[in-house]
Amino acid sequence: MPLVPVTEHQAAVAALLAAPPSEPELLPAAEALGRVLAEPVVAREQLPSFANSAMDGYAVRAADVAGASPDSPVRLPVGGDIPAGAPVGTLAPGVALRIMTGAPVPDGADAVVEVEATDGGTTTVEIREAREAGTFVRKAGSDVRAGDEVLPRGSVLGAAQVGILHALGVATVACVRRPRVLVLSTGSELAVDPEPGSGRIRDANGPMLAAAVLDAGAVAVPHLSTTDDVPTFLAALEAALPDVDLVLTSGGVSAGAYEVVKDALGPRGVSFTKVAMQPGMPQGIGTYDGVPVVCLPGNPVSSLVSFEVFVRPALRRRAGNPHPERPVVSATLTEPLTSPAGRRQLRRGRLDRAAGTVTPWGPAGSGFLGWYAGADCLVDVPADATDVSAGAVIDVWDLTVG
Ligand code: AMP
Ligand code: MG
């Protein structure tokens, strides 16, 4: 059977996870960090809501200081102070008011002379520079006008977005619901006790994939692990099904005996294929009781690379994220590498952004999670390349961004 191209399996997983938009989830603005807006946010108010000073200085009528210069300063009486938080007042002609940054510019004033251009006086002030009307005045509505769409649908809420919601008094926002994902590890070798006994190992994939799910902007329901016993596996799967939008299994999909995922789900409509990729050749895809199921290989490196390539972009797209893919950058290889003919290789690497170079990190084999943990990118070796020399320019997925 020919190997399935990576792009074809990517499209299949994306199609499996595509869903019509669900009812948005209303969230307090303070709890919406990292979430994707299901509806645009339209400002009901303007910002700044009142004209305020951009500097500590003196609120004046520009006409009153028109002739001021260092050689011929203008002296004005100081009618009082306007600290930040003061209500909007009025400026009489021929007078200056000492004003602080953010304080309301009084009616009648049209400019602020910064304190550095004065003698800083408190009863009278010597103004040493003329200032045009509008100088150092932040006009009402100069940042946001009422009716502006400040955040379009699909915005991912970072700190600045949370800030503007609060500045505008937007208390709740409609966010795209996050898909809920069950990560189900398989393997009779997976220890249930903290200290694995002879021949046993700790479950790395469960917590790792749950972390990857969270990082992709989805919800990981508490991950589970089962033995290689088909009824045990199916019981765990069925118990979790009503609560999830996706089941992500790891292990039990390759060619050996005791391949629990293949044995349990193969006869129940899930397809198991070989994808032209290294690592991560064996993959499974289908539904169980109508719930999407994606089956990843068990080797931890294969599992996480498979997640990166197939699941992460599809989950992020489902979660409404407008940038589902990792950014791809070009970098120069510092060392030669080899890759199997006819399979796209995603090799762990370390990117030197300043130098524009990438160094393969650890062996190509799929058992080297320690090396993966020290890497920060995936080197994307095309399927037709078998020997890539040092100095070649190659695509690299930046795992530190997105
Ligand atoms: P499998 O695909 O089930 O044959 O597993 C392939 C390799 O990955 C074996 O060495 C397993 O022990 C290992 N493996 C499978 N599942 C996990 C897991 N959850 N955590 C760590 N290693 C695993
Ligand atoms: Mg196994």
Side-chain angles (χ1 to χ4, degrees):
M1 214 169 47
L3 301 182
V4 176
V6 169
T7 48
E8 201 173 295
H9 195 62
Q10 278 176 321
V13 175
L16 180 74
L17 288 187
S22 56
E23 263 307 278
E25 186 178 349
L26 279 184
L27 285 177
E31 291 169 25
L33 180 67
R35 299 297 296 265
V36 179
L37 285 185
E39 291 166 11
V41 171
V42 176
R44 279 170 307 176
E45 299 172 8
Q46 60 180 351
L47 279 182
S49 54
F50 54 87
N52 67 84
S53 178
M55 295 292 265
D56 294 326
Y58 295 83
V60 296
R61 284 174 157 76
D64 288 345
V65 300
S69 71
D71 294 335
S72 155
V74 169
R75 185 163 286 280
L76 296 175
V78 176
D81 283 354
I82 315 173
V88 182
T90 309
L91 177 76
V95 175
L97 287 168
R98 202 157 69 123
I99 191 166
M100 309 306 147
T101 305
V105 172
D107 293 337
D110 58 8
V112 171
V113 182
E114 71 278 23
V115 69
E116 294 81 359
T118 73
D119 67 353
T122 52
T123 50
T124 65
V125 61
E126 191 178 279
I127 307 279
R128 296 171 179 155
E129 307 271 0
R131 289 287 174 256
E132 282 176 15
T135 305
F136 296 132
V137 176
R138 298 173 183 151
K139 281 207 187 101
S142 56
D143 184 13
V144 174
R145 285 161 307 168
D148 279 356
E149 184 180 286
V150 276
L151 297 173
R153 177 215 309 255
S155 299
V156 182
L157 300 181
Q161 292 72 33
V162 169
I164 196 68
L165 293 174
H166 281 79
L168 287 167
V170 177
T172 56
V173 278
C175 298
V176 179
R177 275 182 197 281
R178 292 177 296 178
R180 297 172 61 80
V181 183
L182 168 69
V183 172
L184 184 51
S185 308
T186 65
S188 294
E189 72 277 33
L190 301 180
V192 282
D193 301 323
E195 283 312 313
S198 171
R200 298 295 198 79
I201 60 170
R202 298 189 180 90
D203 176 9
N205 294 356
M208 175 177 76
L209 293 171
V213 163
L214 276 181
D215 190 47
V219 175
V221 305
H223 60 270
L224 300 173
S225 86
T226 81
T227 63
D228 287 324
D229 173 56
V230 168
T232 309
F233 168 81
L234 285 175
L237 174 65
E238 282 169 12
L241 273 189
D243 190 33
V244 297
D245 303 301
L246 169 68
V247 175
L248 210 50
T249 67
S250 78
V253 293
S254 35
Y258 309 107
E259 301 292 0
V260 65
V261 176
K262 214 180 203 176
D263 295 346
L265 300 183
R268 292 175 172 82
V270 173
S271 319
F272 291 90
T273 53
K274 286 187 174 168
V275 175
M277 183 166 99
Q278 188 200 53
M281 189 161 66
Q283 301 286 338
I285 181 167
T287 59
Y288 190 92
D289 264 0
V291 177
V293 179
V294 172
C295 308
L296 306 178
N299 275 305
V301 171
S302 311
S303 221
L304 191 55
V305 169
S306 302
F307 183 93
E308 273 293 334
V309 174
F310 303 117
V311 184
R312 188 177 197 275
L315 265 185
R316 280 166 68 92
R317 199 168 282 123
R318 164 77 171 255
N321 196 306
H323 307 292
E325 321 278 352
R326 293 279 193 192
V328 175
V329 297
S330 291
T332 303
L333 263 182
T334 59
E335 293 171 13
L337 54 75
T338 58
S339 176
R343 288 165 69 189
R344 187 164 156 189
Q345 190 186 53
L346 287 142
R347 188 79 175 259
R348 280 64 59 211
R350 284 261 272 244
L351 189 58
D352 183 333
R353 284 163 197 78
T357 58
V358 63
T359 302
W361 204 247
S366 53
F368 297 96
L369 186 58
W371 284 95
Y372 198 161
D376 61 7
C377 66
L378 292 175
V379 184
D380 190 348
V381 187
D384 56 2
T386 50
D387 290 283
V388 188
S389 37
V393 174
I394 197 157
D395 279 352
V396 170
W397 298 21
D398 188 345
L399 301 178
T400 66
V401 185

